[in-house]
Amino acid sequence: MGRRYFGTDGIRGLANGDRLTPELALKVGQAAGIHFLDGGHRHRVLIGKDTRLSGYMLEQALTAGFTSVGMDVVQVGPMPTPAVAMLTREMRADLGVMISASHNPFHDNGIKLFGRDGYKLSDADEAAIEARLEGEVPRAAPEAIGRARRIDDARGRYIHAVKASFPEGLRLDGLKVVVDCAHGAAYRVAPEALWELGAELDAIGVAPDGFNINANCGSTYPETLAARVREVGADIGIALDGDADRLILVDETGRIVDGDQILALLARSWQLSGKLRGGSIVATVMSNLGLEKYLEALDLGLVRTPVGDRHVLEGMRAHGCNVGGEQSGHLILADHATTGDGLLASLQVLAVLVADGRPASRVLRLFDPFPQLLRNVRVGGGRPLEDPRVRAAIAGAEARLAGRGRLVVRPSGTEPVIRVMAEGEDEALVAATVAEVCDALRAAA
């Protein structure tokens, strides 16, 4: 049975629209609270958020829901998603909640849930919570209603944890860094952590107003960062997204470095230092074939998963790997975090850069990507991927790319679109196969 509320990364939608309302947030608080009320201890949920205007509304509605079923609430304010995961585990909370729509514009928002261990909830847990959303939940007696409090030292705790991942004795003195925080959740923690490690810092995207999160900035619009890096003559640029679980880099020339190149760098660095586990890294079906070929040359494997950092993490745990991520910049370093962490990953890259001593343009370009083309086809409903015309187009494209490239066709988990990606040595062939499949999808939509 399909899910009504939960998607690939929690619950997401237009804030105060038809779906993501304060009424729903209150019910989520009640349903999730009841689901995790087990044992005789006083139960606690930790709630963080990014900088969207609607975060206030959803935070208070969730708080009302949790306290109404007897859970205490700890509010930490604007905080990166990985910080919420870390603090949930550190503070022995029964549940963690992040209010964010990640890289989406301000008018969207979402609710992400983490378990006691700091990992995103399993499908079974989400299904159980969703089932409770459809019915009534038992509310606490007046004397058992939960309390809510806001803590002020959460930012410092996260900064300390992130800095602890940086090699002891190494500093960023003399390195000029531009960081773009996308006017999002990391607008304070990222500059502070980098400054404390000694970087000569230029911070942009650090003036959130509730509306400007991800607007022409951050990891989904790295052109702003690239221009700034060139303008100030920085050694490297760091772009985070709205909830800081993604990382895209810019070298000193202004060239953009995606998640695949970062994965290649970390795989080689950790392999040389003996830290890499599992003899492989984990990436999704969208990662470039060039990454796979580069890893083969290092005698390393590439485990591919469906799109989504949760799938990547599941693949990492199944294969005993400690490095994984997505081309989009979700990077999971399991020795240090339970979910994607853009700031933490950036520090690992900076450590390599400082130790190497060469310019970022020399260090961060490890392989030449195969020509790759991604197109989105908007769909209004139905099942276009089951249409005979679409199936025939996909089969024909796969036949032409056989041995020379790859084709990936998948529905988005966050938008009403079908994503069509092809890559291979022949750029013209790649473009032709994508166009053929897209045309078939439009005809069937």
Side-chain angles (χ1 to χ4, degrees):
M1 180 182 296
R3 300 284 187 87
R4 181 178 174 188
Y5 299 103
F6 283 92
T8 56
D9 195 14
I11 299 170
R12 191 175 295 188
L14 180 67
N16 227 20
D18 294 335
R19 186 162 178 247
L20 191 63
T21 63
E23 292 84 0
L24 176 63
L26 185 144
K27 288 183 179 179
V28 170
Q30 292 177 323
I34 287 292
H35 184 68
F36 283 93
L37 282 177
D38 55 356
H41 65 283
R42 190 72 188 176
H43 292 79
R44 175 185 297 162
V45 56
L46 184 140
I47 301 179
K49 60 183 180 179
D50 64 24
T51 56
R52 296 162 210 271
L53 179 63
S54 58
Y56 296 99
M57 173 186 75
L58 296 174
E59 179 185 41
Q60 298 309 315
L62 283 162
T63 297
F66 283 117
T67 55
S68 74
V69 297
M71 260 198 168
D72 291 337
V73 174
V74 176
Q75 299 171 340
V76 297
M79 197 67 59
T81 288
V84 169
M86 182 273 290
L87 290 166
T88 297
R89 185 170 56 177
E90 181 184 290
M91 296 184 65
R92 307 296 193 272
D94 298 278
L95 182 66
V97 181
M98 179 64 184
I99 304 169
S100 176
S102 189
H103 58 283
N104 286 24
F106 87 92
H107 49 69
D108 292 332
N109 216 327
I111 300 171
K112 305 179 185 182
L113 302 177
F114 293 89
R116 298 179 177 97
D117 55 5
Y119 290 100
K120 290 180 180 178
L121 296 190
S122 67
D123 287 337
D125 280 326
E126 287 185 349
I129 292 169
E130 184 154 309
R132 293 180 185 274
L133 291 175
E134 302 296 336
E136 293 293 323
V137 296
R139 292 189 293 274
E143 66 275 10
I145 292 172
R147 299 175 182 269
R149 61 177 294 189
R150 190 175 294 273
I151 61 171
D152 299 322
D153 66 342
R155 187 169 76 250
R157 294 189 191 195
Y158 175 63
I159 291 172
H160 176 77
V162 169
K163 286 171 54 185
S165 73
F166 197 71
E168 189 173 351
L170 202 63
R171 289 184 55 84
L172 299 177
D173 294 347
L175 198 68
K176 191 167 187 177
V177 179
V178 179
V179 60
D180 182 352
C181 299
H183 299 300
Y187 79 101
R188 298 182 70 178
V189 295
E192 287 181 24
L194 291 163
W195 177 82
E196 289 181 16
L197 288 170
E200 182 183 344
L201 192 65
D202 181 27
I204 61 176
V206 290
D209 61 9
F211 304 99
N212 58 2
I213 187 170
N214 299 315
N216 298 322
C217 58
S219 64
T220 52
Y221 198 87
E223 292 80 7
T224 297
L225 175 64
R228 186 69 170 182
V229 166
R230 290 191 295 264
E231 177 187 347
V232 303
D235 296 302
I236 191 171
I238 296 168
L240 306 173
D241 69 336
D243 67 338
D245 64 354
R246 290 191 185 197
L247 168 68
I248 295 294
L249 298 174
V250 170
D251 70 21
E252 82 281 1
T253 71
R255 185 169 59 182
I256 296 166
V257 180
D258 68 12
D260 283 348
Q261 295 284 354
I262 300 171
L263 283 171
L265 178 75
L266 295 177
R268 187 187 68 172
S269 173
W270 285 31
Q271 181 192 41
L272 291 174
S273 65
K275 293 194 299 182
L276 190 70
R277 297 200 308 268
S280 302
I281 69 168
V282 179
T284 76
V285 293
M286 302 301 286
S287 278
N288 195 275
L289 193 56
L291 171 62
E292 189 171 336
K293 299 299 183 184
Y294 175 78
L295 293 172
E296 286 177 2
L298 297 178
D299 199 27
L300 295 174
L302 177 64
V303 178
R304 290 192 183 268
T305 73
V307 171
D309 62 332
R310 187 167 68 174
H311 294 300
V312 171
L313 183 57
E314 289 171 354
M316 292 171 66
R317 299 176 82 175
H319 291 85
C321 300
N322 58 346
V323 174
E326 299 187 87
Q327 187 182 71
S328 61
H330 279 122
L331 299 161
I332 304 175
L333 305 178
D335 289 356
H336 305 292
T338 58
T339 189
D341 191 327
L343 177 58
L344 187 149
S346 74
L347 294 185
Q348 304 306 303
V349 173
L350 292 178
V352 175
L353 196 63
V354 170
D356 188 286
R358 293 180 298 162
S361 58
R362 298 282 302 280
V363 176
L364 299 178
R365 182 80 173 188
L366 295 176
F367 66 88
D368 291 325
F370 278 53
Q372 187 180 79
L373 182 62
L374 172 65
R375 290 286 182 265
N376 296 324
V377 179
R378 189 160 293 274
V379 294
R383 298 180 177 179
L385 292 179
E386 297 180 10
D387 188 283
R389 293 166 294 181
V390 174
R391 289 184 174 184
I394 291 174
E398 289 176 336
R400 284 191 295 280
L401 287 169
R404 305 166 64 188
R406 298 188 307 127
L407 175 72
V408 178
V409 183
R410 66 177 186 88
S412 168
T414 58
E415 301 175 80
V417 299
I418 303 291
R419 306 198 193 279
V420 181
M421 187 278 286
E423 63 180 352
E425 298 176 357
D426 187 334
E427 190 168 0
L429 176 61
V430 166
T433 54
V434 169
E436 180 179 342
V437 175
C438 288
D439 287 345
L441 282 166
R442 292 188 191 99

